[in-house]
Each structure stands twice: as C-alpha cells, then as structure tokens.
C-alpha cells in the first residue's frame, strides 16, 4: 500500500447554540469554498483517494470501457409529434452530448437540427441544455444553458428559420419557459441568487431589454417554490406554487398574455392538488377531504375555488392515484397498488375502462411523452430488473401495440434469461413488512457467500422503481446481487408509506434499511463480510444514519453527495432548499424537531466505534447538498473512528449535485464506485 499520510483537517472549535443546547463543530471552517486552505484540504483528500486506489485505475478504465461498450453510441430517441413536427434527440459515436432535431410533417422528412450540444459545450467543463420551448408558430425556440452545475440556467432564444441567436439573455433562471399565443411573449421563472429558490415569474417581450421584464408573480413564502407551464389543451398558462404539503395555482388564457393571473383556489395548508384542462373543465388530482392516496375532482374553468370541486374518481385506501393524462377521446390514470405501477385507460364518452397488462413480478411502467392532444396513440415505457427498457405506442381504439424501440445492450453477451429477479419482504422491528426488489445472475449462489449491494433513497415520497440498467450488469456478472430496498419515506406502498418516513417518523427510514439488511443476511443472500450499501443525497443521509446505528452489518459503504449535517443545514435559511424542506424534515427552530433531528443527524452522532470502509463523493459546486457537509463528516469520522478501515473523500472540483455532465463522463464515476466494491471483494483482477 502506498506510503501516504491520512489527511487530517485542522480543528477550529465553533459553538453552535440553539434552544440552550450547545454543539461544538470543529470543522465548521470548511464552509467556505473561497478559502485556499479549504481547497488545499479537499485536494489532499483527493490525492489520498487517488493514491490508495491507484492499483484499481486500470480496472476502472476496463470497467468504463466495458460499460460504454454496452451502449449504442449512435443512439436516438423515438420521435414525438408536436404541432406538426416530429421532435427527437440523437447521439453521434464518440460524442458526449445530444443533438436535438425535428422533422416537418413526416418522420421521414429532412432533419432540421435545432441544437448540437457537442458544439455548444465546447470550452465548458460542465454543460447542460434544458427546457426547450417551441413557439406556437414553430419558428422560435427558447432554451436554458447551465455551465456551472448549480442548476442556474441562462435562457436564450433562437430563430429556427434563420439560425440567429437573439440578443435576449435572461440569467439566473430554472431554464424552463412558456410562450404565449402571440409568439413574442415569454414567461419564465427566476431563482433567488443566494438560496436558488424559484421565487419569481417574469414576462419578457421579444426584442426588449430583459431589465424591463415585468414581474408577474413573486412567491414570498420561503417554504414554497414557483414554476410556470401551459396546459396540454393550450388554452391556459399556469403559475404553480408548491411546498411539500401545499399547492396553489394561478392562470390566464394563452391568447391574453397581458391579462392578470387569476388565482385557481387559495392555498390551504395541507391541501395538495394539481390541475389539467379538458373541454371547459379543470380536473384536479388532490388529497382534499383526507384523501391521502389522492382522488380526482373537477370544476368549471370559470369557477375554480375548492368549495366548487366535484368528485370524479373517489379516493381508494389501497390504490395511490399518481397522475392524470388527458387526450381528446381518453384519459389515462397512473396508479400504484401494492407497490406496482398500473396504467388505466378510460373513454370520455362511454366510461369504458381497462388496464394495460404487465406480467413481471416486479417492474416499472410509466406514461411517456404525449404532448399531442388529438391522437388515439398512448406512448408508454416499460422495463424491469431483467428486461431492457422499451418505448411502446399503444392504440387506445384498437388495443394494439407497437414496440417503437427496445433498448439495445451491445457486446453480444447479455441474455435476459441469464438473470433472475424477485420481490421479497422483510419484517421491520415494528412488524411492518418492507419490500425489496432484487436481481442477480442465475449462476450466483444464494448461500450467504455472495456480495450484495443494497440501495435505497427513502425521502420526499420519491419511489425508486425496479429499473433495468446496462451499467449494473458489470456487478451482476461478477456475482453481485443488487437489492433496491423500498423503505418508508418513499411512496412505493402509497402515501402513508411516505408519511410514516418523514418528520417525527424519519427514523423508520433508517431502521427499515437496517432490518432489510438483516433479512438479507439471515436468509443467506449474503453475510456481513459481503454486504455493501449505497445511497446519494437524502440517500446519503440514510448511509450516514445506518453506519452510526449498525456499522457492523456492512463491509463497505458508498455515500454520494450525502446530506449528513442535518441540524446545521436546516438552521441555515441562506442555503438553497432549506426553508422548502421544513415540511419534510421539520423546522429545527422548534425544539421538538431540533431534538429529533439531532438524534439521527449523521454528523452529530459520529462516535468512537468501528466504521466500515467508505467512499464518500461530492461536488464543489453542488447547490443541493453543499460540499462541506461530506467534507466535515469525513473529517469527523477520521477523528473518531477506532478501526483501520479505509475512508475516502472524492471531490469533483468541477461538478455539482448531478456529477459530471456528458453521458460517458458520468460512467467514469460509476466505474470508480464499482471498482471500490469489487476491490473490497478481492475480485479486482476478474
């Protein structure tokens, strides 16, 4: 092993006092990316990581090549139709970024390139193009560009007939925008420059100075974000405001861009709803009247207050109603029952209804891109842990389907029948059954000797469905079992599953994961010597919590951009996302929530004990989980841990929360993580 000193961060005690409770933070000083000493420390950690993993570098390169070789480099999306044009994206061999194009009238018509992101990205370490909005007359495209990875986009406007990029430059936006019917009025969302909260909607007139743009809405409540979009019917432009628990909307007619936005229904704390327009009515997906799994209501588009809403589809305690898609002759309901996705198709005129049939034990199905209102074709996606992703066009009139594209797995090695997937259930300590979706190669032994990578997220009601991954094959083909743990805090088993894993019930998320780990060990899927866990962002919080609670269960941990300094971050309302998070984690200005957060916050609960081998990753420009959280956490772990297991902090000095941009650059980060795991298994040469 290389002779290199373990990085040691200096200790500079800072008193943090709240509710007469004093916390001493020795590493608070790392909270300054402009400090040269901070950068030096991060670079020392990077050097330490790179030196001690140098023996895996060739293997990382081999893994990268292996994963890249499965990907069709000259891939293309299935085009979708919008306003007389077929839009799609494609890639070229050896290129990192997509090319956006369209064809007029027919899919076989000549290609018109809208944006070649490979050219636009020249000279940028990071590049992301987002929010392409085509004007109603098809001649203009507004689009957002981020070259820093802080999710702050600059909006530009391109004339698609002449190729000219207009002088209009709108900075510090979300990247998305909406055209009014006049083809010259553009609505967009700005972000607060400090917190990055989306808080203002502006109106821009083409060709006028952006300094003269009119503020049409300011969301002053710091726990809310605001956004703008157009209904599929194209009749209305909608401003939405939402927090974790509450929604509110305003609207104007698309052809009256200078009119005043009218409130849909005033916000009521705890009332969540979303709206879609059809005919002369709005349809409202809502939790009104304690419909915790949501129901569908309707109202006239001229009288929209919540007391005027009428029930259209009642609440069901065992079915989560997730989404509504509207077509001229049909509406589509996306449901979740017992964790599985269902897609229900209903005719407006006859109420004839049926479900799309799915056969796998555990799978992912979802309604795809369907911007065309007047069509009988429903596009949906399907995949499972063993089945590559498919894009399918379903004719709702004839009930026939056409597979438009099935994900190709190149290399000539992959065969679906070589892999097995199943859904298993663990019993949590409070008696609740927690599901896991697992996949493994058919030759992998289930005798306790095989390595398992256990993954979960478990926050914000975000569900990790069992999805296919070509990248994951590099683990499965080396004898790993991959387990997605559907813990509380997600919405896999309905809204209550989420409610039971947030606020003052947050620790259910962590204990569910630990109890699932014990189930995997007790049922001979693996052993403590071969169990690994991985999670990112709020899933990184999960990693921090489980290693404080049960470090002995895991041989290795990967924590990506981890949210680990919960109390300090949630007390700092200048940090992006903080105030909007109160309904998820609680507001620590209340002592009850402060005490509860402190009881599980990974950084606050590091103690003198043995910890597993760990790889912690972050990005210097991360706008969601600031780099200093994992940096401080690693420094404190180094101070307290009593073992000799390796602990790595790998900071991407160019990227933010999403990691590297470019489809292949991101694979290099995965190769690092997989090499870390495979090295711990002693299989680096295989």
């Amino acid at each position: 092993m290389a002779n290199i000193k373990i990085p040691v961060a200096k200790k500079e005690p800072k008193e943090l006092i709240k509710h007469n409770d004093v916390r001493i933070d020795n590493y608070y000083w790392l909270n300054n990316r402009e400090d040269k000493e901070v950068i030096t420390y991060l670079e020392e950690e990077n050097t330490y990581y790179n030196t001690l993993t140098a023996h895996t570098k060739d293997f990382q390169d081999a893994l990268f090549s292996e994963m890249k070789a499965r990907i069709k480099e000259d891939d293309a999306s299935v085009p979708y139709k919008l306003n007389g044009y077929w839009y799609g994206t494609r890639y070229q061999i050896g290129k990192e970024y997509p090319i956006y194009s369209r064809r007029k009238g027919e899919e076989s018509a000549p290609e018109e390139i809208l944006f070649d992101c490979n050219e636009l990205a020249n000279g940028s370490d990071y590049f992301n193009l987002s929010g392409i909005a085509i004007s109603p007359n098809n001649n203009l495209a507004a689009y957002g560009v981020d070259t820093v990875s802080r999710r702050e986009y600059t909006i530009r406007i391109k004339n698609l007939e002449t190729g000219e990029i207009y002088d209009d430059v709108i900075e510090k936006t979300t990247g998305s925008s909406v055209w009014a019917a006049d083809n010259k009025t553009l609505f967009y969302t700005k972000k607060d420059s400090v917190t990055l909260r989306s808080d203002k909607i502006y109106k821009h007139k083409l060709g006028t100075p952006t300094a003269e743009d009119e503020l049409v809405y300011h969301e002053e409540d710091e726990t809310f974000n605001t956004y703008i979009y157009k209904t599929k019917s194209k009749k209305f432009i909608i401003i939405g405001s939402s927090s974790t628990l509450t929604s509110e909307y305003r609207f104007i007619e698309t052809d009256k861009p200078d009119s005043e936005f009218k409130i849909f229904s005033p916000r009521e704390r705890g009332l969540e709803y979303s709206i879609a327009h059809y005919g002369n009515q709005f349809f409202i997906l809502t939790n009104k009247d304690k419909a915790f799994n949501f129901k569908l209501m309707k109202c006239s588009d001229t009288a929209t207050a919540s007391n005027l809403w009428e029930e259209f589809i009642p609440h069901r305690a065992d079915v989560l109603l997730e989404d509504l898609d509207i077509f001229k002759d049909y509406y589509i309901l996306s449901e979740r029952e017992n964790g599985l996705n269902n897609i229900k198709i209903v005719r407006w005129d006859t109420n004839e209804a049926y479900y799309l049939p799915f056969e796998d034990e555990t799978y992912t199905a979802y309604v795809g891109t369907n911007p065309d209102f007047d069509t009988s074709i429903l596009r949906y996606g399907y995949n499972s842990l063993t089945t590559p992703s498919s894009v399918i066009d379903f004719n709702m009139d004839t009930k026939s389907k056409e597979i438009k594209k099935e994900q190709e797995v190149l290399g000539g090695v992959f065969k679906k029948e070589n892999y097995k997937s199943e859904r298993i259930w663990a019993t949590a300590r409070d008696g609740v059954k927690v599901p896991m979706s697992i996949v493994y190669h058919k030759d992998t032994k289930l005798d306790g000797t095989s390595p398992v990578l256990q993954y979960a997220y478990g926050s914000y009601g975000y569900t990790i469905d069992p999805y296919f991954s070509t990248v994951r094959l590099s683990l499965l083909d080396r004898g790993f079992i991959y387990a997605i743990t559907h813990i509380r805090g997600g919405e896999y088993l309905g809204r209550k599953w989420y409610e039971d894993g947030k606020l003052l019930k947050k620790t259910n998320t962590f204990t569910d994961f630990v109890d699932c780990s014990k189930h995997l060990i007790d049922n001979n899927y693996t052993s403590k010597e071969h169990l690994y866990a991985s999670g990112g962002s709020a899933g990184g919080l999960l990693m921090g919590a489980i290693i404080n609670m049960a470090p002995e269960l895991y041989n290795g941990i990967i924590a990506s951009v981890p949210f680990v300094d919960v109390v300090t971050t949630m007390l700092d309302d200048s940090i992006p996302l903080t105030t909007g998070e109160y309904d998820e984690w609680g507001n620590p200005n209340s002592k009850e929530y402060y005490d509860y957060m402190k009881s599980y916050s990974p950084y606050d609960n590091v103690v003198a004990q043995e910890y597993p081998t760990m790889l912690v990753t972050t990005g210097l420009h991360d706008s969601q989980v600031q780099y200093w959280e994992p940096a401080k956490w690693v420094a404190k772990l180094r101070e307290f841990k009593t073992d000799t297991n390796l602990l790595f902090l790998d900071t991407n000095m160019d990227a933010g929360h999403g990691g590297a941009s470019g489809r292949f650059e991101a694979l290099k980060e995965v190769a690092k993580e997989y090499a870390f795991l495979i090295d711990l298994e002693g299989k680096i040469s295989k």
Side-chain angles (χ1 to χ4, degrees):
M1 186 173 287
N3 184 21
I4 184 172
K5 287 186 177 181
I6 297 173
V8 177
K10 72 175 182 180
K11 294 168 69 172
E12 200 171 271
K14 180 177 177 63
E15 277 194 359
L16 300 172
I17 304 173
K18 190 71 177 180
H19 305 299
N20 296 318
D21 180 58
V22 180
R23 291 180 301 134
I24 304 297
D25 188 345
N26 289 321
Y27 305 106
Y28 190 89
W29 66 273
L30 286 167
N31 179 349
N32 183 4
R33 68 168 59 81
E34 305 302 323
D35 185 341
K36 289 182 180 179
E37 197 170 358
V38 171
I39 299 301
T40 298
Y41 170 69
L42 295 177
E43 289 173 341
E44 286 177 359
E45 286 283 5
N46 281 353
T47 299
Y48 178 74
Y49 164 69
N50 289 324
T51 302
L52 291 189
T53 58
H55 66 286
T56 72
K57 187 65 174 68
D58 289 344
F59 184 65
Q60 288 180 39
D61 293 341
L63 275 178
F64 170 76
S65 298
E66 178 183 302
M67 292 185 288
K68 183 180 177 183
R70 296 193 193 102
I71 297 173
K72 182 175 170 60
E73 288 201 45
D74 54 347
D75 203 4
S77 67
V78 179
Y80 63 86
K81 191 176 183 182
L82 175 63
N83 203 21
Y85 283 81
W86 290 91
Y87 289 86
T89 59
R90 62 179 175 86
Y91 289 89
Q92 292 179 326
I93 293 175
K95 299 291 184 67
E96 289 282 349
Y97 296 100
I99 296 170
Y100 293 89
S101 65
R102 68 179 183 180
R103 300 173 190 268
K104 187 175 182 179
E106 304 293 335
E107 290 187 64
S108 58
E111 182 186 48
E112 175 187 341
I113 293 179
L114 307 178
F115 302 100
D116 184 342
C117 294
N118 300 288
E119 294 180 0
L120 295 173
N122 278 339
S124 298
D125 292 324
Y126 178 91
F127 180 85
N128 188 25
L129 184 146
S130 177
I132 297 174
I134 306 295
S135 61
N137 64 5
N138 295 313
N139 294 339
L140 304 172
Y143 61 100
V145 169
D146 174 15
T147 57
V148 179
S149 188
R150 275 181 68 77
R151 302 188 185 185
E152 279 187 295
Y153 292 83
T154 297
I155 291 177
R156 303 295 304 269
I157 298 168
K158 181 178 181 178
N159 186 313
L160 300 179
E161 292 186 311
T162 66
E164 178 187 0
I165 306 294
Y166 290 164
D167 292 336
D168 310 60
V169 178
I170 309 170
E171 297 181 328
K172 298 189 181 300
T173 77
T174 62
S176 62
S177 56
V178 175
W179 289 99
D182 63 3
N183 299 293
K184 64 180 182 181
T185 304
L186 189 71
F187 294 91
Y188 62 90
T189 311
K190 271 218 168 191
K191 290 187 168 186
D192 181 277
S193 59
V194 176
T195 67
L196 300 189
R197 181 173 70 91
S198 308
D199 64 342
K200 295 182 178 74
I201 306 292
Y202 282 88
K203 178 170 61 178
H204 174 69
K205 296 290 186 179
L206 200 60
T208 65
T210 55
E212 297 176 5
D213 288 357
E214 180 186 345
L215 176 66
V216 297
Y217 178 66
H218 180 197
E219 177 51 71
E220 296 182 352
D221 189 325
E222 293 182 345
T223 66
F224 279 71
N225 288 294
T226 189
Y227 49 93
I228 192 162
Y229 67 97
K230 188 184 299 183
T231 60
K232 189 174 178 179
S233 67
K234 300 181 182 178
K235 184 176 180 180
F236 295 106
I237 292 173
I238 310 287
I239 291 176
S241 286
S242 64
S243 68
T244 305
L245 294 176
T246 308
S247 315
E248 185 179 67
Y249 294 89
R250 290 165 170 77
F251 62 102
I252 59 170
E253 293 184 43
T254 311
D255 58 359
K256 298 176 182 176
D258 295 326
S259 59
E260 187 173 342
F261 278 85
K262 175 185 175 184
I263 195 162
F264 189 89
S265 187
R267 65 187 64 177
E268 303 171 39
R269 179 167 172 77
L271 176 62
E272 299 174 61
Y273 68 97
S274 58
I275 55 178
H277 183 255
Y278 175 76
N280 59 359
Q281 293 181 312
F282 278 108
F283 287 81
I284 307 114
L285 185 64
T286 180
N287 67 346
K288 191 175 187 293
D289 307 319
K290 299 182 180 179
F292 59 86
N293 269 341
F294 289 79
K295 62 181 177 179
L296 195 60
M297 304 185 79
K298 65 179 183 177
C299 67
S300 163
D301 61 17
T302 60
T304 58
S306 62
N307 62 310
L308 302 175
W309 299 354
E310 301 173 13
E311 189 166 273
F312 186 67
I313 294 176
H315 172 255
R316 291 161 289 174
D318 57 347
V319 177
L320 176 65
L321 186 55
E322 292 189 311
D323 206 359
L324 168 72
D325 285 89
I326 286 177
F327 294 82
K328 180 182 176 183
D329 296 325
Y330 297 89
Y331 63 91
I332 315 300
L333 301 175
S334 295
E335 303 175 348
R336 186 181 296 273
E337 184 173 10
N338 196 32
L340 300 179
N341 308 119
N342 291 320
I343 298 175
K344 186 177 184 179
I345 299 170
V346 190
R347 279 195 69 96
W348 285 110
D349 54 359
T350 65
N351 287 324
E352 176 194 357
Y354 57 93
Y355 286 92
L356 293 179
F358 304 121
E359 298 173 358
D360 286 301
E361 180 181 353
T362 180
Y363 61 86
T364 298
Y366 55 91
V367 174
T369 302
N370 292 277
D372 196 0
F373 175 72
D374 189 4
T375 179
S376 60
I377 302 299
L378 168 69
R379 177 163 293 173
Y380 70 95
Y382 181 86
N383 67 90
S384 73
L385 290 167
T386 59
T387 307
S389 181
S390 293
V391 177
I392 301 165
D393 278 0
F394 182 81
N395 189 310
M396 296 181 282
D397 290 340
T398 65
K399 299 182 182 179
S400 60
K401 72 177 182 180
E402 177 186 0
I403 298 177
K404 301 294 290 185
K405 179 182 179 181
E406 185 169 86
Q407 179 184 6
E408 292 185 59
V409 184
L410 302 185
V413 177
F414 173 76
K415 292 181 180 178
K416 175 182 175 180
E417 57 271 22
N418 286 340
Y419 304 89
K420 294 183 177 180
S421 69
E422 56 184 297
R423 188 166 64 156
I424 61 176
W425 299 75
T427 302
R429 60 197 63 186
D430 60 358
V432 170
K433 299 288 186 182
V434 181
M436 287 182 276
S437 297
I438 66 173
V439 61
Y440 50 90
H441 194 281
K442 67 178 183 179
D443 296 335
T444 297
K445 296 178 181 179
L446 304 182
D447 61 358
T449 64
S450 295
V452 166
L453 177 57
Q454 184 184 349
Y455 172 80
Y457 184 72
S459 292
Y460 304 105
Y462 184 72
T463 297
I464 306 295
D465 281 310
Y467 62 97
F468 183 80
S469 166
T470 63
V471 173
R472 190 189 299 136
L473 297 175
S474 292
L475 287 182
L476 303 185
D477 290 347
R478 289 175 172 82
F480 273 76
I481 299 168
Y482 188 85
I484 300 174
T485 312
H486 305 293
I487 51 182
R488 281 174 281 187
E491 243 175 25
Y492 186 78
L493 292 180
R495 182 68 174 204
K496 193 173 187 302
W497 202 243
Y498 169 42
E499 300 288 349
D500 284 347
K502 62 184 288 197
L503 297 173
L504 298 175
K505 297 181 179 179
K506 187 62 206 171
T507 53
N508 284 336
T509 300
F510 316 135
T511 55
D512 280 0
F513 192 93
V514 169
D515 293 339
C516 285
S517 299
K518 292 176 179 177
H519 181 90
L520 291 167
I521 293 168
D522 293 344
N523 288 271
N524 282 332
Y525 286 95
T526 191
S527 64
K528 296 177 181 180
E529 292 75 28
H530 300 286
L531 179 58
Y532 304 91
S534 173
S537 194
L541 162 65
L542 171 65
M543 294 301 101
I546 65 167
I547 62 165
N548 283 334
M549 295 168 61
E552 72 284 355
L553 293 180
Y554 308 97
N555 193 44
I557 297 286
I558 298 173
S560 308
V561 291
F563 171 44
V564 286
D565 191 11
V566 183
V567 178
T568 304
T569 291
M570 293 304 297
L571 282 170
D572 186 351
D573 59 15
S574 72
I575 293 177
L577 301 182
T578 291
T579 54
E581 304 281 278
Y582 288 159
D583 287 334
E584 178 72 23
W585 311 102
N587 184 345
N589 292 298
S590 159
K591 188 175 187 304
E592 180 182 28
Y593 286 108
Y594 174 90
D595 291 341
Y596 188 74
M597 275 182 202
K598 187 182 174 185
S599 75
Y600 68 74
S601 173
Y603 184 66
D604 290 290
N605 287 280
V606 172
V607 295
Q609 65 178 356
E610 293 189 357
Y611 285 93
T613 302
M614 295 176 60
L615 171 60
V616 182
T617 65
T618 187
L620 183 63
H621 300 288
D622 196 326
S623 62
Q624 290 190 265
V625 177
Q626 308 295 325
Y627 75 89
W628 59 76
E629 291 200 40
K632 289 166 50 177
W633 183 45
V634 166
K636 190 171 182 179
L637 282 166
R638 291 204 188 287
E639 177 187 353
F640 278 88
K641 72 192 196 82
T642 59
D643 57 85
T644 57
N645 293 327
L646 292 171
L647 170 61
F648 297 129
L649 173 65
D650 179 28
T651 303
N652 186 324
M653 305 302 280
D654 297 316
H657 197 66
S661 64
R663 56 178 177 156
F664 299 130
E665 282 302 308
L667 290 180
K668 294 179 182 178
E669 296 183 356
V670 179
K672 283 183 177 182
E673 295 180 0
Y674 282 11
F676 170 78
L677 297 171
I678 295 166
D679 190 30
L680 286 176
E681 279 295 299
K683 297 181 178 181
I684 207 71
S685 62
K686 297 183 181 180

